[in-house]
Structures are given as structure tokens and as C-alpha cells.
């Protein structure tokens, strides 16, 4: 997260099923940290790419 932020990336969004890892992502500078299994999470079930 820190390197991505320094490189100018924004927004920084982390995805992890573990609450501790999501909290760590926020501490390290993520703008948002989501649980990929949460059906109420923004974009849940939507796929991008091929």
C-alpha cells in the first residue's frame, strides 16, 4: 500500500477475508478494505477482465 500510494495510485482498495488483514491494509494507507465474501460489499459478484 505504501509504495502504491507513493507512486500516486488512488484509490487504494484492499480485499481480504481476514479482519486483521483488512485493518492492517487501512493502517498502511488503503482507502477502503473489503471482505470478498461480504455480499453487501460494493461490486460484490461483479467480475472484470477476461
Amino acid at each position: 500500500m505504501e509504495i502504491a500510494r507513493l507512486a500516486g495510485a488512488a484509490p487504494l482498495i484492499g480485499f481480504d477475508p481476514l479482519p486483521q488483514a483488512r485493518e492492517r491494509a487501512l493502517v498502511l494507507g488503503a482507502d477502503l478494505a473489503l471482505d470478498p465474501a461480504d455480499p453487501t460489499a460494493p461490486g460484490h459478484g461483479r467480475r472484470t477482465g477476461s
Side-chain angles (χ1 to χ4, degrees), residues 18-50:
L18 301 175
Q20 305 91 324
R22 291 192 303 274
E23 182 61 32
R24 186 171 49 247
L26 293 170
V27 168
L28 291 174
D31 296 307
L32 189 61
L34 302 171
D35 181 345
D38 181 355
T40 65
H44 181 77
R46 187 175 62 197
R47 290 180 145 286
T48 59
S50 51

